[in-house]
Amino acid sequence: GDASTHALFTFHVSLSMRGVRCWEEVVKVVFCYIGMLRYHFQEGYVDGKGKKTEGLPQWIYDELKSIANVSYRYADEGDVEEIVEEIAENMALWYGLPEERVLDGDELLFDDVVDNETVKDLLFNYLTPQNLRVDLMSSLFGRESNFDEAIKDQRKGNVGEKDEDCEDVDEGVIKPVHDHFEDDSEDEKETAFDTGKAGPPSIEPRFGTHYWKEKISTIIMQQWTDASKAQLPPAGFPLDLPPKNPFVPSQFDLKPLPTDDAAHPLVHCSVKVCVCVGKKKAWFPAVVTQYKMDGVHPKVLISYEDEDEKWHALDSPGNYEKFNAEDPLEPGFEGSLDKATFKFRVIGVPREGEGAVLRYGDADNDDDVEDGIAFPPIPPPSKNLPKLVYDNNSLKVWHLQDRKFKRPLGDLRIKVDCDGLNDSALNQACMNLFCRLCADALTETCYLASVCELGSSLYTTETGFGIRVHGFDHKLLELAKEVLALVMSFRGREGRSDLPPAIKEGRFDACLESLLRKYKNYGMNASSFCTGLRLLCLRPSHMTSNSKLKAIHGITIEKFVVTMNKILKRVSVEAFYHGNCDINDAKKASQIILGAMTSNCNHVGIPKTKIPAKLVVKTPLVVGQHSVTAPTLDPQDPNTAVEVYFQMGKDNLMNRVLVDMLVQVLDEPLFCQLR
C-alpha cells in the first residue's frame, strides 16, 4: 500500500486459463491504453475561453470532482474506530494536509482545474514498463499440497540429500495443477510459467508462501514500451476515453410525503392525554402515529395503550413550525386537541431515525423498565408499511417512501420466478451461467454507475433470479431500465441458436469456464461442505454443485439458448421500491419492469398455483437425533465443521419472530463463551 516513501498505482485483472498463458498480451493492452492517454494529453482540448490547452478534457475532472463531493456529503456512517484511524493517518506530516482539511482532504478535489503538470509527470514518467512489477497468481503453478509432497519426498531421500529439519524446497519439482477436465487439449495445458525450469521457489518468511521471481525479458519490455508511446490504439483494440457518465446525479431534494401521512414533530412521540372519565380527569399514555391535512385542518392519529385509535384535530398548528433538527421538540411540551377538549403532554421523543416510542409517564413504571424489573411497553405497529401500487399481468410492485434515513437514496429489488427452474440440475446450472453472462455484459455500464455511488447486482434464487439496484435515486431507474432490457433480451428466442447481441463474442466460454471452476471448488472448505450437506437433506429442490457441474460441462451455446428460453418462457415478477421515491416514482418503475417483460415476446405469467414453492422436508420426531457424518473433500483441510439444525414446525410469522428473538438473546453470550 501507500507509505511515506511512495504511492502504488495498482490494477487487477481476472484471467481465464487462456489469459494466464497470454498474460504478457494482457499487460500490453494496459500500456496501449496508457499510450492512448498520453496521445490525448498531448493533443489537448479547447477550454472555456476558446484556448487550446494541453491535458485531458476538462469535463473528466469536473465529473470526478462532482462525484467526490456527492459521495462525501452522503457517505454512510462509518465505524468510529476506523474514522479515528483514518483521521490520525491524515494528520501525518508526509500527507501534507493543512489542519482545516484533515477530515476531507483525502476525499475531495478542490481546484477548479486539474493540475496538468502533475498529471503529465505521473503519466509520462511513472506509468512506464520500467517502473512496473507484475504479480501472476494461479493454481496452474501448483498448490500448497504439491509443495508439501515435494518436502516429504526430500525427507525420504527421493529428491536430493537434505537434512530432515530443512524447510527449504531447494530440489523439489513442483508439477503444475490443471483445473481442466480430461478432454482438455495439450495446448490448453500449457502454462505461461514452467515451474520445472524455474528452479526452487522462494519462501515468504511471514506467511510461508512459495513464490518465484524472474526478470521480464527485454523483448517483452520493448513491446510494452512501444505500446505505451503517445499514439492511438492499433486496429482491433477497442480502447477509447470513457464516455460522459450518464449516471452522475444532480437532484438531491427529498420527495415530499403525501398530505394524508405527512411528517410532523409530534409523529412517533409518546404523550399523555387528559381524558374525562365520568366527572374525573385521567391521564392516559398514548403514541402519535400519523399526521394529515384534512382540508385546512391538521389532524393527528393517536394510538392509546388499549390499542384504541382516534383522530384528533390539532390546535394551534403554528406552534410547531419552530421545531426542526437543530431545535427539536422536547419532553414536557404541552398542547391541546379538538378545540381544547383534550390536553396532552409530551413524555418521550424518538431519537433521529427511531420509530414510535411509548412511555408510561410515571416514575415508578418507567424506573422499573429502566431497571429491568418490568417489561417495556410495546408501541403500536407502524403505519408506514409497503403498499401495493401495481398488481396485474403477473407483476406486483410494492412501494414504501423513506421516513427514517432522510437521504436522497433509493433501493429497487426485483424477484423473478421462473417456471421449471428446479426440474433439473441443467436448468439450475444454466440459470447460474445466465446471471454470469448478464453481469459480464453489463460490466461497463455498471462501472460507470458505481463511480456515481449507484450499485447493482444480479443473482440466482431458489425459484429464479433477483435484481437489485440501489444508490442515489435521481438516475436509479435509468440503470434499472438498462439492466432489465439486457436480462429480458434472452426471452422470446424460440427457434434461434444465438445469444443476444449484447453478449460479446468469446464471453460465453469465459463465463462458462469460471462457473465450472466455482462448481469444482465448492465445498473444498469444511464449513461450506457442511452447509451443502444440510441443504441436500432438507431441500428437495437443492442440486449439488457436482450434479450441476456434470450437467453443464461441454454445453453449447445452442443448447444453452434453448434451455434458457424454456425457463424464461413463463415468469412472474414481484418488486419493491423503497427510499426517496414517491408514488409516481413507483408507478414509473412498474411501467419500466412491465415494458421489459413484454418487449421481446408475448408475456405469459405463471399461475399463482404453479409458482415454485420453497419446500423443506419435515424431520420425524424421534428421541435421538438425525446425524450425517462425512469426510471433507480436501484431504489437506485440517478443519472440522458441525451444524446443528432445529426444526420449529410449519413456517408462520409468530414462529419467525420468536426464533429471531431467541437468536438475539443467545447470540452475544454464545459468542463470548466460544471465544
Side-chain angles (χ1 to χ4, degrees):
D2 297 344
S4 59
T5 57
H6 65 273
L8 294 179
F9 181 84
T10 62
F11 59 90
H12 178 269
V13 181
S14 297
L15 301 173
S16 64
M17 293 186 182
R18 180 184 176 188
V20 174
R21 301 197 314 276
C22 305
W23 67 270
E24 298 99 332
E25 291 297 316
V26 175
V27 178
K28 182 179 177 180
V29 173
V30 174
F31 280 110
C32 283
Y33 193 87
I34 293 173
M36 180 201 66
L37 291 178
R38 292 176 175 178
Y39 171 82
H40 286 294
F41 188 94
Q42 291 179 343
E43 286 292 306
Y45 66 97
V46 178
D47 61 18
K49 299 179 180 179
K51 180 182 178 182
K52 190 170 184 179
T53 305
E54 186 181 55
L56 296 174
Q58 178 65 25
W59 66 263
I60 297 179
Y61 177 77
D62 294 339
E63 197 173 84
L64 293 174
K65 181 179 179 180
S66 173
I67 293 170
N69 288 335
V70 171
S71 300
Y72 182 78
R73 179 181 176 186
Y74 296 103
D76 292 331
E77 184 175 340
D79 179 74
V80 175
E81 293 181 1
E82 292 180 0
I83 293 175
V84 172
E85 181 181 343
E86 181 180 333
I87 294 174
E89 290 180 357
N90 290 349
M91 295 171 65
L93 294 178
W94 57 270
Y95 245 104
L97 290 176
E99 292 182 3
E100 64 272 16
R101 291 301 179 194
V102 169
L103 295 179
D104 59 10
D106 62 335
E107 299 284 347
L108 301 179
L109 301 172
F110 300 99
D111 296 332
D112 292 331
V113 294
V114 67
D115 182 358
N116 278 323
E117 289 301 318
T118 300
V119 174
K120 184 176 182 179
D121 184 37
L122 293 172
L123 190 57
F124 286 84
N125 297 328
Y126 287 91
L127 299 183
T128 65
Q130 293 72 26
N131 205 30
L132 173 75
R133 188 189 78 194
V134 178
D135 296 330
L136 189 61
M137 293 174 283
S138 173
S139 60
L140 294 174
F141 308 141
R143 298 184 185 275
E144 196 65 30
S145 57
N146 301 120
F147 293 99
D148 296 337
E149 291 298 326
I151 292 173
K152 291 178 182 178
D153 289 341
Q154 290 176 2
R155 293 175 176 174
K156 292 178 181 178
N158 294 340
V159 184
E161 296 295 330
K162 301 295 291 184
D163 185 81
E164 288 192 5
D165 294 329
C166 179
E167 296 184 357
D168 294 332
V169 197
D170 290 344
E171 304 295 335
V173 178
I174 310 304
K175 298 180 179 179
V177 175
H178 302 286
D179 290 328
H180 278 38
F181 298 93
E182 293 180 359
D183 59 350
D184 288 329
S185 66
E186 289 300 321
D187 291 339
E188 289 290 320
K189 295 181 180 180
E190 294 179 5
T191 64
F193 182 77
D194 191 339
T195 58
K197 296 179 181 179
S202 301
I203 301 178
E204 199 281 327
R206 295 173 182 83
F207 301 101
T209 303
H210 297 81
Y211 68 97
W212 292 268
K213 59 181 178 181
E214 65 176 11
K215 290 184 177 180
I216 299 172
S217 71
T218 55
I219 296 176
I220 296 298
M221 289 291 290
Q222 187 59 49
Q223 291 178 359
W224 293 349
T225 301
D226 293 340
S228 65
K229 293 179 180 178
Q231 58 190 341
L232 291 175
F237 281 61
L239 303 176
D240 203 350
L241 289 176
K244 289 188 177 182
N245 198 325
F247 301 108
V248 178
S250 58
Q251 297 179 12
F252 307 100
D253 295 334
L254 297 181
K255 303 289 176 66
L257 295 170
T259 56
D260 61 345
D261 192 9
H264 192 274
L266 283 175
V267 173
H268 291 164
C269 286
S270 180
V271 298
K272 265 201 164 182
V273 182
C274 183
V275 179
C276 291
V277 181
K279 295 183 179 181
K280 295 183 179 181
K281 293 183 177 180
W283 291 82
F284 292 91
V287 177
V288 180
T289 59
Q290 197 171 334
Y291 170 84
K292 72 175 181 179
M293 288 295 298
D294 188 2
V296 295
H297 304 290
K299 289 187 175 182
V300 291
L301 180 63
I302 294 182
S303 176
Y304 294 90
E305 188 180 12
D306 60 358
E307 299 185 358
D308 183 31
E309 291 184 329
K310 186 177 180 181
W311 284 98
H312 295 275
L314 186 63
D315 298 339
S316 304
N319 293 344
Y320 302 89
E321 295 177 357
K322 61 183 178 181
F323 298 116
N324 51 50
E326 288 73 27
D327 185 18
L329 182 72
E330 295 182 353
F333 177 86
E334 295 185 352
S336 62
L337 305 168
D338 298 336
K339 297 181 180 180
T341 304
F342 303 101
K343 292 183 179 181
F344 71 87
R345 183 192 308 116
V346 176
I347 58 175
V349 178
R351 295 186 294 270
E352 180 68 24
E354 187 180 13
V357 296
L358 179 59
R359 305 281 189 270
Y360 288 119
D362 58 87
D364 291 339
N365 284 317
D366 287 342
D367 288 346
D368 288 346
V369 171
E370 192 72 26
D371 296 337
I373 300 173
F375 198 83
I378 300 176
S382 174
K383 296 289 183 182
N384 303 318
L385 298 175
K387 293 181 174 59
L388 187 62
V389 297
Y390 190 92
D391 185 8
N392 192 21
N393 204 17
S394 304
L395 170 64
K396 284 186 177 182
V397 178
W398 300 82
H399 166 251
L400 178 62
Q401 191 167 352
D402 171 57
R403 298 164 181 270
K404 181 175 182 179
F405 301 103
K406 300 175 182 177
R407 297 200 296 171
L409 306 176
D411 196 334
L412 175 63
R413 306 198 183 205
I414 304 171
K415 180 174 72 77
V416 182
D417 291 324
C418 302
D419 190 24
L421 176 65
N422 296 325
D423 290 349
S424 67
L426 175 63
N427 287 3
Q428 292 190 4
C430 284
M431 179 58 72
N432 293 148
L433 181 56
F434 161 77
C435 288
R436 283 182 176 248
L437 278 171
C438 291
D440 182 82
L442 288 164
T443 298
E444 294 183 14
T445 299
C446 292
Y447 169 75
L448 292 174
S450 67
V451 171
C452 304
E453 302 290 336
L454 196 56
S456 61
S457 56
L458 177 65
Y459 50 91
T460 57
T461 65
E462 297 176 6
T463 57
F465 63 94
I467 299 171
R468 183 189 180 195
V469 183
H470 57 97
F472 290 110
D473 65 277
H474 181 205
K475 300 295 182 71
L476 186 147
L477 291 182
E478 293 182 22
L479 177 59
K481 186 175 183 178
E482 293 202 31
V483 174
L484 284 165
L486 175 65
V487 168
M488 294 302 174
S489 67
F490 279 81
R491 302 188 73 197
R493 304 187 71 80
E494 292 91 345
R496 302 189 62 173
S497 59
D498 59 328
L499 294 166
I503 308 300
K504 297 179 181 178
E505 183 180 358
R507 300 312 301 164
F508 179 85
D509 292 335
C511 292
L512 177 60
E513 178 186 314
S514 65
L515 180 61
L516 293 175
R517 188 180 298 117
K518 176 187 175 182
Y519 286 155
K520 193 173 183 181
N521 291 333
Y522 182 81
M524 292 302 288
N525 65 72
S527 179
S528 64
F529 182 62
C530 191
T531 300
L533 279 179
R534 172 175 58 81
L535 293 175
L536 189 62
C537 294
L538 295 169
R539 306 296 298 271
S541 61
H542 181 73
M543 305 284 182
T544 65
S545 292
N546 189 48
S547 63
K548 289 188 280 189
L549 174 69
K550 293 179 179 178
I552 203 172
H553 178 234
I555 191 172
T556 62
I557 292 178
E558 181 179 3
K559 185 176 181 180
F560 170 76
V561 171
V562 171
T563 304
M564 285 309 305
N565 192 70
K566 179 181 177 182
I567 295 173
L568 297 174
K569 188 172 184 178
R570 297 202 303 177
V571 299
S572 290
V573 181
E574 192 164 8
F576 176 43
Y577 195 13
H578 169 59
N580 186 38
C581 51
D582 56 24
I583 187 69
N584 293 324
D585 296 323
K587 291 179 179 179
K588 183 179 179 181
S590 305
Q591 294 305 312
I592 289 175
I593 298 172
L594 184 62
M597 292 169 59
T598 57
S599 61
N600 299 308
C601 62
N602 294 323
H603 170 67
V604 180
I606 306 176
K608 293 182 179 180
T609 57
K610 297 291 184 178
I611 292 179
K614 299 179 181 179
L615 300 177
V616 178
V617 173
K618 180 180 179 181
T619 57
L621 296 174
V622 293
V623 177
Q625 73 278 354
H626 304 279
S627 63
V628 176
T629 306
T632 55
L633 296 179
D634 183 5
Q636 304 295 327
D637 186 3
N639 298 303
T640 300
V642 177
E643 282 197 14
V644 182
Y645 169 76
F646 296 93
Q647 195 169 85
M648 304 297 182
K650 288 187 176 181
D651 185 28
N652 62 68
L653 182 60
M654 179 57 71
N655 279 356
R656 287 196 179 200
V657 172
L658 292 175
V659 171
D660 286 344
M661 187 171 69
L662 179 64
V663 171
Q664 185 76 14
V665 171
L666 295 178
D667 185 62
E668 184 175 344
L670 179 64
F671 172 78
C672 293
Q673 289 185 33
L674 290 177
R675 184 178 60 177

